[in-house]
Short mmCIF file of all heavy atoms in Angstrom, two decimals:
data_model
loop_
_atom_site.label_atom_id
_atom_site.label_comp_id
_atom_site.label_asym_id
_atom_site.label_seq_id
_atom_site.Cartn_x
_atom_site.Cartn_y
_atom_site.Cartn_z
N MET A 1 24.99 -14.21 12.11
CA MET A 1 25.43 -13.30 11.05
C MET A 1 24.19 -12.79 10.32
O MET A 1 23.36 -13.55 9.87
CB MET A 1 26.35 -14.04 10.08
CG MET A 1 26.75 -13.18 8.89
SD MET A 1 27.77 -14.02 7.67
CE MET A 1 29.27 -14.17 8.55
N PRO A 2 24.03 -11.45 10.20
CA PRO A 2 22.86 -10.91 9.53
C PRO A 2 22.85 -11.23 8.03
O PRO A 2 23.91 -11.27 7.39
CB PRO A 2 22.96 -9.41 9.74
CG PRO A 2 24.20 -9.15 10.52
CD PRO A 2 24.90 -10.44 10.74
N LEU A 3 21.66 -11.44 7.52
CA LEU A 3 21.50 -11.70 6.10
C LEU A 3 21.96 -10.49 5.29
O LEU A 3 21.66 -9.36 5.63
CB LEU A 3 20.03 -11.99 5.81
CG LEU A 3 19.68 -12.49 4.43
CD1 LEU A 3 20.36 -13.81 4.12
CD2 LEU A 3 18.17 -12.66 4.31
N PHE A 4 22.70 -10.65 4.25
CA PHE A 4 23.25 -9.63 3.36
C PHE A 4 24.22 -8.67 4.05
O PHE A 4 24.59 -7.65 3.50
CB PHE A 4 22.13 -8.82 2.68
CG PHE A 4 21.21 -9.65 1.87
CD1 PHE A 4 19.87 -9.71 2.19
CD2 PHE A 4 21.66 -10.36 0.78
CE1 PHE A 4 18.98 -10.48 1.44
CE2 PHE A 4 20.80 -11.12 0.01
CZ PHE A 4 19.47 -11.18 0.35
N LYS A 5 24.58 -8.97 5.29
CA LYS A 5 25.57 -8.17 6.02
C LYS A 5 25.23 -6.68 6.02
O LYS A 5 26.09 -5.83 5.84
CB LYS A 5 26.96 -8.41 5.46
CG LYS A 5 27.40 -9.85 5.54
CD LYS A 5 28.77 -10.05 4.95
CE LYS A 5 29.11 -11.54 4.98
NZ LYS A 5 30.37 -11.83 4.33
N ASN A 6 23.93 -6.36 6.18
CA ASN A 6 23.44 -4.98 6.26
C ASN A 6 23.74 -4.14 5.01
O ASN A 6 23.81 -2.93 5.06
CB ASN A 6 24.00 -4.27 7.49
CG ASN A 6 23.52 -4.91 8.76
OD1 ASN A 6 22.39 -5.38 8.84
ND2 ASN A 6 24.38 -4.96 9.76
N ARG A 7 23.89 -4.76 3.87
CA ARG A 7 24.21 -4.03 2.65
C ARG A 7 22.99 -3.46 1.94
O ARG A 7 23.09 -2.48 1.23
CB ARG A 7 24.94 -4.94 1.66
CG ARG A 7 26.33 -5.28 2.08
CD ARG A 7 26.99 -6.08 0.99
NE ARG A 7 28.26 -6.61 1.46
CZ ARG A 7 28.95 -7.53 0.85
NH1 ARG A 7 28.50 -8.06 -0.26
NH2 ARG A 7 30.08 -7.95 1.34
N TYR A 8 21.86 -4.12 2.05
CA TYR A 8 20.70 -3.75 1.23
C TYR A 8 19.55 -3.20 2.05
O TYR A 8 18.41 -3.33 1.67
CB TYR A 8 20.24 -4.97 0.42
CG TYR A 8 21.34 -5.53 -0.43
CD1 TYR A 8 21.98 -6.71 -0.07
CD2 TYR A 8 21.77 -4.86 -1.57
CE1 TYR A 8 23.01 -7.22 -0.84
CE2 TYR A 8 22.80 -5.36 -2.34
CZ TYR A 8 23.41 -6.54 -1.98
OH TYR A 8 24.42 -7.03 -2.74
N GLN A 9 19.83 -2.55 3.13
CA GLN A 9 18.77 -1.99 3.96
C GLN A 9 18.36 -0.62 3.43
O GLN A 9 19.20 0.22 3.11
CB GLN A 9 19.24 -1.86 5.40
CG GLN A 9 19.42 -3.20 6.06
CD GLN A 9 19.82 -3.06 7.53
OE1 GLN A 9 20.14 -1.97 7.98
NE2 GLN A 9 19.80 -4.16 8.23
N THR A 10 17.05 -0.41 3.33
CA THR A 10 16.51 0.88 2.94
C THR A 10 15.44 1.29 3.95
O THR A 10 14.88 0.45 4.64
CB THR A 10 15.88 0.84 1.53
OG1 THR A 10 14.81 -0.10 1.54
CG2 THR A 10 16.90 0.47 0.48
N GLU A 11 15.14 2.56 3.99
CA GLU A 11 14.08 3.03 4.86
C GLU A 11 12.74 2.55 4.35
O GLU A 11 12.52 2.45 3.15
CB GLU A 11 14.07 4.56 4.89
CG GLU A 11 14.86 5.15 6.01
CD GLU A 11 14.62 6.64 6.12
OE1 GLU A 11 13.47 7.06 6.29
OE2 GLU A 11 15.62 7.35 6.01
N SER A 12 11.84 2.29 5.26
CA SER A 12 10.51 1.84 4.90
C SER A 12 9.71 2.99 4.29
O SER A 12 9.79 4.13 4.73
CB SER A 12 9.78 1.30 6.13
OG SER A 12 8.45 0.98 5.79
N ASN A 13 8.93 2.67 3.24
CA ASN A 13 8.04 3.66 2.63
C ASN A 13 6.66 3.66 3.28
O ASN A 13 5.78 4.40 2.86
CB ASN A 13 7.88 3.38 1.14
CG ASN A 13 9.16 3.68 0.38
OD1 ASN A 13 9.90 4.57 0.77
ND2 ASN A 13 9.41 2.96 -0.67
N ARG A 14 6.46 2.82 4.28
CA ARG A 14 5.16 2.72 4.92
C ARG A 14 4.90 3.91 5.83
O ARG A 14 5.82 4.47 6.41
CB ARG A 14 5.08 1.44 5.75
CG ARG A 14 5.09 0.20 4.89
CD ARG A 14 5.05 -1.03 5.76
NE ARG A 14 4.76 -2.19 4.95
CZ ARG A 14 3.85 -3.10 5.26
NH1 ARG A 14 3.18 -3.00 6.38
NH2 ARG A 14 3.63 -4.11 4.47
N PHE A 15 3.61 4.28 5.94
CA PHE A 15 3.23 5.36 6.85
C PHE A 15 3.44 4.91 8.28
O PHE A 15 3.06 3.79 8.66
CB PHE A 15 1.77 5.75 6.66
CG PHE A 15 1.50 6.47 5.38
CD1 PHE A 15 0.64 5.94 4.44
CD2 PHE A 15 2.10 7.69 5.12
CE1 PHE A 15 0.38 6.60 3.26
CE2 PHE A 15 1.84 8.37 3.94
CZ PHE A 15 0.99 7.82 3.01
N LYS A 16 4.01 5.76 9.08
CA LYS A 16 4.19 5.45 10.48
C LYS A 16 2.82 5.51 11.17
O LYS A 16 1.97 6.31 10.82
CB LYS A 16 5.16 6.42 11.12
CG LYS A 16 6.58 6.25 10.61
CD LYS A 16 7.49 7.32 11.17
CE LYS A 16 8.93 7.19 10.75
NZ LYS A 16 9.21 6.75 9.43
N ASN A 17 2.61 4.69 12.15
CA ASN A 17 1.37 4.64 12.94
C ASN A 17 0.14 4.23 12.13
O ASN A 17 -0.98 4.57 12.49
CB ASN A 17 1.11 5.99 13.62
CG ASN A 17 2.24 6.41 14.52
OD1 ASN A 17 2.81 5.56 15.22
ND2 ASN A 17 2.59 7.67 14.50
N TRP A 18 0.32 3.55 11.02
CA TRP A 18 -0.81 3.04 10.23
C TRP A 18 -0.88 1.54 10.42
O TRP A 18 0.12 0.84 10.30
CB TRP A 18 -0.65 3.37 8.76
CG TRP A 18 -1.74 2.79 7.91
CD1 TRP A 18 -1.69 1.67 7.15
CD2 TRP A 18 -3.07 3.29 7.77
NE1 TRP A 18 -2.88 1.44 6.54
CE2 TRP A 18 -3.76 2.43 6.91
CE3 TRP A 18 -3.75 4.38 8.30
CZ2 TRP A 18 -5.09 2.62 6.55
CZ3 TRP A 18 -5.07 4.57 7.93
CH2 TRP A 18 -5.72 3.70 7.06
N ASP A 19 -2.09 1.04 10.71
CA ASP A 19 -2.29 -0.39 10.91
C ASP A 19 -2.61 -1.02 9.56
O ASP A 19 -3.73 -0.93 9.06
CB ASP A 19 -3.43 -0.62 11.90
CG ASP A 19 -3.70 -2.10 12.13
OD1 ASP A 19 -2.90 -2.94 11.67
OD2 ASP A 19 -4.71 -2.40 12.79
N TYR A 20 -1.62 -1.63 8.94
CA TYR A 20 -1.79 -2.20 7.60
C TYR A 20 -2.63 -3.47 7.60
O TYR A 20 -2.96 -4.00 6.56
CB TYR A 20 -0.43 -2.47 6.95
CG TYR A 20 0.19 -1.21 6.39
CD1 TYR A 20 1.02 -0.41 7.17
CD2 TYR A 20 -0.06 -0.80 5.11
CE1 TYR A 20 1.57 0.76 6.67
CE2 TYR A 20 0.48 0.35 4.58
CZ TYR A 20 1.30 1.13 5.37
OH TYR A 20 1.83 2.28 4.87
N SER A 21 -2.99 -3.97 8.77
CA SER A 21 -3.87 -5.14 8.83
C SER A 21 -5.35 -4.75 8.88
O SER A 21 -6.22 -5.60 8.81
CB SER A 21 -3.52 -6.01 10.04
OG SER A 21 -3.81 -5.31 11.24
N SER A 22 -5.63 -3.45 8.97
CA SER A 22 -7.02 -2.99 9.03
C SER A 22 -7.65 -2.98 7.64
O SER A 22 -6.95 -2.98 6.62
CB SER A 22 -7.08 -1.60 9.65
OG SER A 22 -6.44 -0.67 8.81
N LYS A 23 -8.98 -2.95 7.63
CA LYS A 23 -9.69 -2.88 6.35
C LYS A 23 -9.45 -1.51 5.73
O LYS A 23 -9.59 -0.48 6.38
CB LYS A 23 -11.19 -3.08 6.55
CG LYS A 23 -11.57 -4.49 6.90
CD LYS A 23 -13.06 -4.62 6.93
CE LYS A 23 -13.45 -6.06 7.22
NZ LYS A 23 -14.90 -6.24 7.23
N ALA A 24 -9.08 -1.51 4.47
CA ALA A 24 -8.82 -0.26 3.77
C ALA A 24 -8.80 -0.53 2.28
O ALA A 24 -8.75 -1.68 1.84
CB ALA A 24 -7.49 0.35 4.21
N ILE A 25 -8.83 0.52 1.50
CA ILE A 25 -8.71 0.40 0.04
C ILE A 25 -7.27 0.77 -0.31
O ILE A 25 -6.76 1.80 0.12
CB ILE A 25 -9.69 1.33 -0.67
CG1 ILE A 25 -11.12 0.91 -0.36
CG2 ILE A 25 -9.43 1.32 -2.17
CD1 ILE A 25 -12.17 1.86 -0.90
N TYR A 26 -6.63 -0.08 -1.08
CA TYR A 26 -5.24 0.14 -1.46
C TYR A 26 -5.13 0.27 -2.97
O TYR A 26 -5.86 -0.39 -3.71
CB TYR A 26 -4.34 -1.01 -0.99
CG TYR A 26 -4.24 -1.11 0.50
CD1 TYR A 26 -5.08 -1.95 1.22
CD2 TYR A 26 -3.31 -0.36 1.19
CE1 TYR A 26 -4.99 -2.04 2.61
CE2 TYR A 26 -3.21 -0.44 2.57
CZ TYR A 26 -4.06 -1.28 3.27
OH TYR A 26 -3.96 -1.36 4.62
N PHE A 27 -4.24 1.12 -3.44
CA PHE A 27 -3.95 1.25 -4.86
C PHE A 27 -2.63 0.54 -5.11
O PHE A 27 -1.62 0.84 -4.48
CB PHE A 27 -3.83 2.74 -5.24
CG PHE A 27 -3.59 2.95 -6.69
CD1 PHE A 27 -4.63 2.89 -7.60
CD2 PHE A 27 -2.32 3.20 -7.17
CE1 PHE A 27 -4.41 3.09 -8.95
CE2 PHE A 27 -2.08 3.39 -8.52
CZ PHE A 27 -3.14 3.33 -9.40
N ILE A 28 -2.66 -0.43 -5.99
CA ILE A 28 -1.47 -1.24 -6.28
C ILE A 28 -1.01 -0.95 -7.70
O ILE A 28 -1.80 -0.98 -8.64
CB ILE A 28 -1.77 -2.74 -6.13
CG1 ILE A 28 -2.22 -3.04 -4.70
CG2 ILE A 28 -0.56 -3.57 -6.50
CD1 ILE A 28 -2.72 -4.44 -4.51
N THR A 29 0.26 -0.67 -7.85
CA THR A 29 0.84 -0.43 -9.16
C THR A 29 1.80 -1.57 -9.48
O THR A 29 2.67 -1.90 -8.68
CB THR A 29 1.62 0.90 -9.19
OG1 THR A 29 0.74 1.94 -8.81
CG2 THR A 29 2.18 1.17 -10.57
N LEU A 30 1.63 -2.19 -10.63
CA LEU A 30 2.53 -3.26 -11.08
C LEU A 30 3.32 -2.74 -12.27
O LEU A 30 2.74 -2.29 -13.26
CB LEU A 30 1.74 -4.49 -11.51
CG LEU A 30 0.88 -5.15 -10.44
CD1 LEU A 30 0.06 -6.27 -11.07
CD2 LEU A 30 1.72 -5.69 -9.32
N VAL A 31 4.63 -2.79 -12.16
CA VAL A 31 5.49 -2.38 -13.27
C VAL A 31 6.39 -3.56 -13.60
O VAL A 31 7.25 -3.93 -12.81
CB VAL A 31 6.35 -1.14 -12.91
CG1 VAL A 31 7.24 -0.76 -14.08
CG2 VAL A 31 5.47 0.01 -12.50
N PRO A 32 6.18 -4.20 -14.75
CA PRO A 32 7.01 -5.35 -15.11
C PRO A 32 8.44 -4.93 -15.46
O PRO A 32 8.70 -3.76 -15.77
CB PRO A 32 6.30 -5.94 -16.32
CG PRO A 32 5.40 -4.90 -16.82
CD PRO A 32 5.15 -3.93 -15.73
N GLN A 33 9.32 -5.89 -15.38
CA GLN A 33 10.72 -5.63 -15.70
C GLN A 33 10.84 -5.05 -17.11
O GLN A 33 10.18 -5.49 -18.04
CB GLN A 33 11.52 -6.92 -15.61
CG GLN A 33 13.01 -6.73 -15.78
CD GLN A 33 13.78 -8.01 -15.52
OE1 GLN A 33 13.22 -9.05 -15.24
NE2 GLN A 33 15.08 -7.92 -15.62
N ASN A 34 11.64 -4.02 -17.23
CA ASN A 34 11.88 -3.30 -18.50
C ASN A 34 10.61 -2.68 -19.07
O ASN A 34 10.54 -2.37 -20.26
CB ASN A 34 12.53 -4.22 -19.54
CG ASN A 34 13.86 -4.76 -19.09
OD1 ASN A 34 14.62 -4.06 -18.42
ND2 ASN A 34 14.13 -6.00 -19.40
N ARG A 35 9.60 -2.53 -18.23
CA ARG A 35 8.32 -1.92 -18.63
C ARG A 35 7.71 -2.58 -19.86
O ARG A 35 7.07 -1.94 -20.70
CB ARG A 35 8.48 -0.42 -18.83
CG ARG A 35 8.91 0.32 -17.59
CD ARG A 35 8.81 1.82 -17.76
NE ARG A 35 9.11 2.51 -16.53
CZ ARG A 35 8.24 2.81 -15.58
NH1 ARG A 35 6.99 2.44 -15.71
NH2 ARG A 35 8.61 3.46 -14.50
N GLU A 36 7.89 -3.88 -19.96
CA GLU A 36 7.32 -4.62 -21.09
C GLU A 36 5.81 -4.68 -20.95
O GLU A 36 5.27 -4.68 -19.86
CB GLU A 36 7.89 -6.04 -21.12
CG GLU A 36 9.37 -6.09 -21.43
CD GLU A 36 9.91 -7.50 -21.42
OE1 GLU A 36 9.14 -8.43 -21.73
OE2 GLU A 36 11.08 -7.67 -21.10
N PHE A 37 5.11 -4.74 -22.06
CA PHE A 37 3.65 -4.82 -22.07
C PHE A 37 3.23 -6.29 -21.94
O PHE A 37 2.87 -6.93 -22.91
CB PHE A 37 3.08 -4.21 -23.36
CG PHE A 37 3.39 -2.75 -23.50
CD1 PHE A 37 4.33 -2.31 -24.41
CD2 PHE A 37 2.75 -1.83 -22.70
CE1 PHE A 37 4.61 -0.96 -24.53
CE2 PHE A 37 3.03 -0.47 -22.82
CZ PHE A 37 3.96 -0.04 -23.74
N ILE A 38 3.28 -6.80 -20.72
CA ILE A 38 2.95 -8.21 -20.52
C ILE A 38 1.53 -8.43 -20.01
O ILE A 38 1.09 -9.56 -19.87
CB ILE A 38 3.96 -8.90 -19.57
CG1 ILE A 38 3.92 -8.26 -18.19
CG2 ILE A 38 5.36 -8.87 -20.15
CD1 ILE A 38 4.74 -9.01 -17.15
N PHE A 39 0.81 -7.35 -19.72
CA PHE A 39 -0.56 -7.47 -19.21
C PHE A 39 -1.61 -7.08 -20.24
O PHE A 39 -2.79 -7.23 -20.02
CB PHE A 39 -0.74 -6.60 -17.96
CG PHE A 39 0.21 -6.97 -16.86
CD1 PHE A 39 1.10 -6.04 -16.37
CD2 PHE A 39 0.22 -8.24 -16.31
CE1 PHE A 39 1.97 -6.36 -15.35
CE2 PHE A 39 1.10 -8.58 -15.30
CZ PHE A 39 1.98 -7.63 -14.82
N GLY A 40 -1.19 -6.56 -21.39
CA GLY A 40 -2.13 -6.16 -22.43
C GLY A 40 -1.59 -4.97 -23.19
O GLY A 40 -0.40 -4.67 -23.15
N THR A 41 -2.50 -4.28 -23.88
CA THR A 41 -2.12 -3.11 -24.68
C THR A 41 -3.05 -1.94 -24.36
O THR A 41 -4.15 -2.12 -23.84
CB THR A 41 -2.22 -3.42 -26.18
OG1 THR A 41 -3.55 -3.83 -26.48
CG2 THR A 41 -1.25 -4.51 -26.60
N ILE A 42 -2.58 -0.75 -24.68
CA ILE A 42 -3.38 0.45 -24.51
C ILE A 42 -3.60 1.06 -25.88
O ILE A 42 -2.66 1.31 -26.63
CB ILE A 42 -2.68 1.47 -23.59
CG1 ILE A 42 -2.45 0.87 -22.21
CG2 ILE A 42 -3.50 2.76 -23.50
CD1 ILE A 42 -1.64 1.73 -21.29
N ALA A 43 -4.86 1.27 -26.22
CA ALA A 43 -5.23 1.91 -27.49
C ALA A 43 -6.41 2.82 -27.23
O ALA A 43 -7.37 2.43 -26.54
CB ALA A 43 -5.58 0.86 -28.54
N ASP A 44 -6.37 4.03 -27.76
CA ASP A 44 -7.43 5.02 -27.57
C ASP A 44 -7.72 5.23 -26.08
O ASP A 44 -8.88 5.29 -25.66
CB ASP A 44 -8.71 4.60 -28.29
CG ASP A 44 -8.52 4.53 -29.79
OD1 ASP A 44 -7.76 5.37 -30.33
OD2 ASP A 44 -9.12 3.64 -30.43
N ASP A 45 -6.64 5.31 -25.28
CA ASP A 45 -6.75 5.53 -23.82
C ASP A 45 -7.53 4.43 -23.10
O ASP A 45 -8.09 4.65 -22.04
CB ASP A 45 -7.37 6.88 -23.50
CG ASP A 45 -6.50 8.03 -23.94
OD1 ASP A 45 -5.26 7.87 -23.90
OD2 ASP A 45 -7.03 9.08 -24.30
N LYS A 46 -7.58 3.24 -23.67
CA LYS A 46 -8.28 2.12 -23.04
C LYS A 46 -7.34 0.93 -22.95
O LYS A 46 -6.64 0.60 -23.91
CB LYS A 46 -9.52 1.75 -23.84
CG LYS A 46 -10.31 0.65 -23.17
CD LYS A 46 -11.60 0.36 -23.87
CE LYS A 46 -12.25 -0.78 -23.13
NZ LYS A 46 -13.41 -1.31 -23.70
N MET A 47 -7.35 0.27 -21.78
CA MET A 47 -6.52 -0.91 -21.56
C MET A 47 -7.27 -2.15 -22.04
O MET A 47 -8.41 -2.38 -21.64
CB MET A 47 -6.20 -1.05 -20.06
CG MET A 47 -5.37 -2.23 -19.72
SD MET A 47 -3.68 -1.93 -20.21
CE MET A 47 -2.94 -3.50 -19.86
N THR A 48 -6.63 -2.91 -22.91
CA THR A 48 -7.17 -4.19 -23.36
C THR A 48 -6.28 -5.28 -22.78
O THR A 48 -5.10 -5.37 -23.12
CB THR A 48 -7.19 -4.28 -24.90
OG1 THR A 48 -7.95 -3.18 -25.42
CG2 THR A 48 -7.79 -5.58 -25.37
N LEU A 49 -6.84 -6.06 -21.86
CA LEU A 49 -6.06 -7.07 -21.17
C LEU A 49 -5.84 -8.30 -22.04
O LEU A 49 -6.74 -8.75 -22.74
CB LEU A 49 -6.78 -7.49 -19.88
CG LEU A 49 -7.03 -6.40 -18.85
CD1 LEU A 49 -7.86 -6.96 -17.70
CD2 LEU A 49 -5.74 -5.81 -18.36
N ASN A 50 -4.63 -8.86 -21.93
CA ASN A 50 -4.36 -10.16 -22.54
C ASN A 50 -4.60 -11.22 -21.46
O ASN A 50 -5.13 -10.91 -20.38
CB ASN A 50 -2.95 -10.23 -23.13
CG ASN A 50 -1.87 -10.02 -22.09
OD1 ASN A 50 -2.09 -10.15 -20.89
ND2 ASN A 50 -0.67 -9.70 -22.55
N ASP A 51 -4.24 -12.47 -21.71
CA ASP A 51 -4.48 -13.54 -20.72
C ASP A 51 -3.80 -13.24 -19.39
O ASP A 51 -4.38 -13.48 -18.33
CB ASP A 51 -4.02 -14.89 -21.27
CG ASP A 51 -4.91 -15.40 -22.38
OD1 ASP A 51 -6.07 -14.92 -22.48
OD2 ASP A 51 -4.47 -16.26 -23.15
N ASN A 52 -2.56 -12.73 -19.43
CA ASN A 52 -1.86 -12.39 -18.18
C ASN A 52 -2.61 -11.30 -17.42
O ASN A 52 -2.77 -11.38 -16.20
CB ASN A 52 -0.43 -11.92 -18.46
CG ASN A 52 0.46 -13.00 -18.99
OD1 ASN A 52 0.28 -14.17 -18.69
ND2 ASN A 52 1.43 -12.61 -19.78
N GLY A 53 -3.05 -10.28 -18.12
CA GLY A 53 -3.77 -9.19 -17.49
C GLY A 53 -5.09 -9.64 -16.88
O GLY A 53 -5.50 -9.17 -15.82
N LYS A 54 -5.76 -10.58 -17.54
CA LYS A 54 -7.03 -11.11 -17.02
C LYS A 54 -6.81 -11.89 -15.73
O LYS A 54 -7.63 -11.84 -14.81
CB LYS A 54 -7.72 -11.97 -18.08
CG LYS A 54 -8.24 -11.14 -19.24
CD LYS A 54 -8.81 -12.02 -20.33
CE LYS A 54 -9.20 -11.17 -21.53
NZ LYS A 54 -9.63 -11.98 -22.67
N ILE A 55 -5.70 -12.59 -15.65
CA ILE A 55 -5.37 -13.33 -14.41
C ILE A 55 -5.16 -12.34 -13.28
O ILE A 55 -5.70 -12.51 -12.18
CB ILE A 55 -4.12 -14.21 -14.61
CG1 ILE A 55 -4.43 -15.36 -15.56
CG2 ILE A 55 -3.60 -14.73 -13.27
CD1 ILE A 55 -3.22 -16.14 -16.00
N ILE A 56 -4.39 -11.28 -13.52
CA ILE A 56 -4.14 -10.27 -12.50
C ILE A 56 -5.45 -9.63 -12.07
O ILE A 56 -5.72 -9.47 -10.87
CB ILE A 56 -3.16 -9.19 -13.01
CG1 ILE A 56 -1.79 -9.80 -13.33
CG2 ILE A 56 -3.05 -8.04 -12.02
CD1 ILE A 56 -1.07 -10.36 -12.14
N GLU A 57 -6.30 -9.27 -13.03
CA GLU A 57 -7.59 -8.64 -12.70
C GLU A 57 -8.44 -9.57 -11.84
O GLU A 57 -9.05 -9.14 -10.86
CB GLU A 57 -8.33 -8.28 -13.98
CG GLU A 57 -9.67 -7.62 -13.73
CD GLU A 57 -10.39 -7.30 -15.01
OE1 GLU A 57 -10.45 -8.17 -15.92
OE2 GLU A 57 -10.91 -6.18 -15.11
N THR A 58 -8.48 -10.85 -12.17
CA THR A 58 -9.29 -11.82 -11.43
C THR A 58 -8.74 -12.02 -10.01
O THR A 58 -9.51 -12.05 -9.05
CB THR A 58 -9.30 -13.18 -12.16
OG1 THR A 58 -9.85 -12.98 -13.45
CG2 THR A 58 -10.12 -14.20 -11.41
N GLU A 59 -7.44 -12.13 -9.89
CA GLU A 59 -6.85 -12.44 -8.59
C GLU A 59 -6.83 -11.25 -7.64
O GLU A 59 -6.89 -11.44 -6.43
CB GLU A 59 -5.43 -12.98 -8.76
CG GLU A 59 -5.37 -14.32 -9.47
CD GLU A 59 -6.16 -15.40 -8.75
OE1 GLU A 59 -6.07 -15.49 -7.51
OE2 GLU A 59 -6.88 -16.15 -9.43
N LEU A 60 -6.73 -10.05 -8.16
CA LEU A 60 -6.73 -8.88 -7.27
C LEU A 60 -8.14 -8.43 -7.00
O LEU A 60 -8.45 -7.79 -6.07
CB LEU A 60 -5.91 -7.73 -7.87
CG LEU A 60 -4.42 -7.97 -7.95
CD1 LEU A 60 -3.73 -6.78 -8.60
CD2 LEU A 60 -3.85 -8.18 -6.56
#
């Protein structure tokens, strides 16, 4: 029996014929639930990271 009974299938947003295991530069966007400011604050067009944001910066 298929998982979720084929209810939640969506088309892939990945580029066809692209090798995602190859070396490349990727742009990653993180949007927290309800767009809460959990990674820091923005003031004067500058991002000031809080502890959560510093963890993300270090790990990525």
Side-chain angles (χ1 to χ4, degrees):
M1 175 183 289
L3 189 61
F4 301 119
K5 300 179 184 176
N6 296 325
R7 290 184 189 167
Y8 303 105
Q9 291 183 349
T10 61
E11 266 190 58
S12 175
N13 290 329
R14 293 178 167 228
F15 289 119
K16 292 175 178 37
N17 302 320
W18 176 259
D19 180 8
Y20 282 90
S21 66
S22 65
K23 288 186 177 182
I25 296 174
Y26 294 94
F27 183 80
I28 300 172
T29 303
L30 299 174
V31 180
Q33 186 174 1
N34 300 324
R35 298 191 175 271
E36 294 178 29
F37 297 106
I38 62 172
F39 302 120
T41 58
I42 299 174
D44 297 325
D45 294 327
K46 183 175 178 186
M47 179 75 186
T48 303
L49 300 175
N50 61 18
D51 289 340
N52 292 330
K54 290 175 185 174
I55 291 171
I56 297 295
E57 180 181 46
T58 300
E59 294 302 316
L60 292 179

